[in-house]
Amino acid sequence: MVTSFFQFSVRTVVNSGVGARSLLPEMIKDLGGKRAVLYVDKGITQAGITDKIKELFEVVPGAVQLVGVFEDIEQDAKGAIINRGAKYFKECNGDALIAVGGGSVLDTVKAIKWMLHNKVDDIRNELLVGNIMQFWPEAEYIAIPHVAIPTTAGTGAEVSPVAVVLNEIAGIKTNILNPFISADMAILDPELTVGLPPKITAFTGFDALTHAVEAYFSPQSNPMADAYALQSIRMIVENLQTAVHKGQDIVARANMLMASTMAISAFCLTINAVPVHNIAHVFGAKFNIPHGLANAVLLPSVMETMAPFYLRRIHGFADALGISNLPEKPEDCLKVVVAFIQNLRTKVGLPDTFADFNVNVDNMAYIVAMVHSDPTGLFYKIPPEVIAKVSMEVSGTSLGVS
């Protein structure tokens, strides 16, 4: 029984189901919005999803207008683009936010919402030293109607109270933590994810798995968060391969969306030591590696290298993975688990190193310093020898570390 203090809160109302996007105009209206601005990236528009959203407001004209579409969002929620997105909202005289896309789009809109509420002109100046952390009841309610619709099953950004922002000035990924930047409503419509390419489906799925892993093994873990983490792990293992190799399978797509939402909820409710994310943020920011792919490559390597961190709860995690005939000794169980994750990664077509990227880890002191200065390392400092060993393993070079 857990007797130490923990807090559990999930604010966003989740609406899940095929065709659930049809509820969007009515949601905006019920939230008090009249002039909605839609945020997407160019890939979403090219996939025809932007038109599907616009049609919802055209077919049944009503009290809510779609007054603008901002399409300039890129990989990672970049500070300069967030600034432009906030300016665009004001130019449109908008009063409601709609985010449709992957984590970069959803986080961009959360950051825009925070900027608008706090009357900030350049978000990068607010994030020069890392995180902004604002908690209830000190954090103020943000009265801007906000609906998020994920088109990938990985980040869970549609419900998380965190926006990861790439600060180009500081050259680091930073975080805004505030319970009211999350969307009021989230729509999980699997039909909007069936066109996602296999590789992106795979590494966003591994992003969700990593969220669940880091939540379950967190020093702040608790029974309520465990329920989300363990169930999401089961659903990812059962559905990820189908979603990757049979992309039109609507059941697998729906299950991955739900698993992603649950995984990030567990992650945000237990956030403390997040070694995989800590290193992934540095490799992502420095070498332009998609976040989910960085997590996929790093996850088994970090678990193997930091074995003592994972041993206490490894059997419960292995059970959730569905592994039978587990060794009793935790060290042996961990080896089986690492092999399982590596095998799953191979089955969904993901690499085991960053060999396809221009990764240079020759200056290991710099890599270690970046990992230690990354805002996600606030609560737990990874030993330098661990960072070095993992970095060399995943770099794709032939060098090794003794």
Side-chain angles (χ1 to χ4, degrees):
M1 179 180 293
V2 174
T3 56
S4 58
F5 174 81
F6 72 89
Q7 188 176 73
F8 187 90
S9 175
V10 180
R11 192 183 87 86
T12 303
V13 176
V14 176
N15 303 267
S16 177
V18 175
R21 64 185 182 277
S22 64
L23 302 172
L24 177 59
E26 194 66 24
M27 282 183 186
I28 296 294
K29 176 185 174 184
D30 291 345
L31 289 168
K34 295 181 179 179
R35 296 177 58 82
V37 178
L38 172 63
Y39 292 83
V40 296
D41 60 36
K42 289 183 170 60
I44 294 297
T45 297
Q46 290 167 3
I49 295 175
T50 300
D51 285 340
K52 290 181 180 179
I53 300 300
K54 291 165 68 175
E55 287 169 4
L56 297 173
F57 294 88
E58 296 166 356
V59 173
V60 185
V64 179
Q65 291 180 275
L66 190 61
V67 296
V69 179
F70 186 86
E71 297 179 312
D72 294 340
I73 299 171
E74 300 173 1
Q75 179 181 308
D76 299 317
K78 295 181 174 68
I81 292 175
I82 292 168
N83 291 340
R84 284 162 45 200
K87 182 180 179 182
Y88 182 78
F89 185 85
K90 296 174 186 176
E91 291 171 349
C92 292
N93 194 25
D95 65 7
L97 296 160
I98 301 172
V100 180
S104 296
V105 174
L106 305 187
D107 277 356
T108 293
V109 173
K110 285 188 283 189
I112 289 170
K113 182 180 180 180
W114 186 88
M115 279 187 69
L116 294 168
H117 178 71
N118 290 282
K119 299 179 173 59
V120 169
D121 292 324
D122 190 336
I123 197 164
R124 297 170 298 184
N125 292 335
E126 308 297 317
L127 292 165
L128 287 174
V129 294
N131 295 336
I132 293 171
M133 304 178 70
Q134 300 168 328
F135 301 100
W136 170 260
E138 288 79 17
E140 297 179 347
Y141 173 67
I142 302 177
I144 303 174
H146 176 193
V147 177
I149 307 177
T151 58
T152 65
T155 68
E158 65 276 3
V159 297
S160 72
V162 181
V164 181
V165 176
L166 178 60
N167 188 335
E168 310 97 309
I169 295 176
I172 58 172
K173 285 193 173 183
T174 59
N175 302 278
I176 301 173
L177 293 89
N178 181 303
F180 299 112
I181 63 169
S182 59
D184 300 296
M185 298 274 192
I187 296 176
L188 309 184
D189 188 337
E191 287 185 333
L192 298 181
T193 69
V194 295
L196 198 66
K199 186 173 182 179
I200 300 178
T201 300
F203 68 65
T204 53
F206 255 83
D207 192 16
L209 178 61
T210 306
H211 289 147
V213 170
E214 305 233 80
Y216 183 70
F217 288 101
S218 169
Q220 298 294 111
S221 64
N222 61 76
M224 296 182 78
D226 281 354
Y228 279 74
L230 291 171
Q231 179 61 14
S232 64
I233 290 165
R234 296 184 190 103
M235 294 177 74
I236 292 165
V237 170
E238 292 170 0
N239 293 278
L240 180 56
Q241 290 185 64
T242 301
V244 170
H245 299 298
K246 300 178 182 178
Q248 299 296 314
D249 190 307
I250 205 73
V251 174
R253 291 291 192 180
N255 285 335
M256 285 302 300
L257 274 173
M258 287 185 280
S260 173
T261 298
M262 288 188 290
I264 196 63
S265 297
F267 180 84
C268 292
L269 292 165
T270 59
I271 193 162
N272 186 278
V274 289
V276 182
H277 277 75
N278 193 176
I279 301 174
H281 283 161
V282 171
F283 274 84
K286 183 164 179 58
F287 303 114
N288 199 34
I289 300 169
H291 178 64
L293 181 58
N295 279 337
V297 171
L298 286 162
L299 178 59
S301 182
V302 171
M303 292 187 71
E304 186 174 46
T305 306
M306 291 181 54
F309 182 83
Y310 297 97
L311 294 179
R312 182 176 64 89
R313 309 195 85 196
I314 194 63
H315 280 92
F317 177 52
D319 286 338
L321 292 174
I323 305 173
S324 57
N325 301 317
L326 289 167
E328 289 187 16
K329 193 175 179 180
E331 290 83 358
D332 293 335
C333 184
L334 176 61
K335 291 178 182 178
V336 173
V337 165
V338 168
F340 180 96
I341 295 172
Q342 291 170 330
N343 187 44
L344 176 62
R345 184 176 61 189
T346 298
K347 287 181 176 178
V348 296
L350 294 178
D352 55 5
T353 72
F354 298 131
D356 291 340
F357 294 84
N358 187 24
V359 171
N360 184 343
V361 295
D362 290 345
N363 189 348
M364 191 57 68
Y366 174 78
I367 297 291
V368 170
M370 289 296 291
V371 172
H372 283 169
S373 64
D374 184 75
T376 58
L378 180 66
F379 301 108
Y380 180 83
K381 182 170 284 190
I382 304 173
E385 61 273 17
V386 170
I387 299 170
K389 185 175 186 299
V390 169
S391 296
M392 294 306 302
E393 285 180 356
V394 303
S395 67
T397 68
S398 59
L399 299 175
V401 174
S402 60

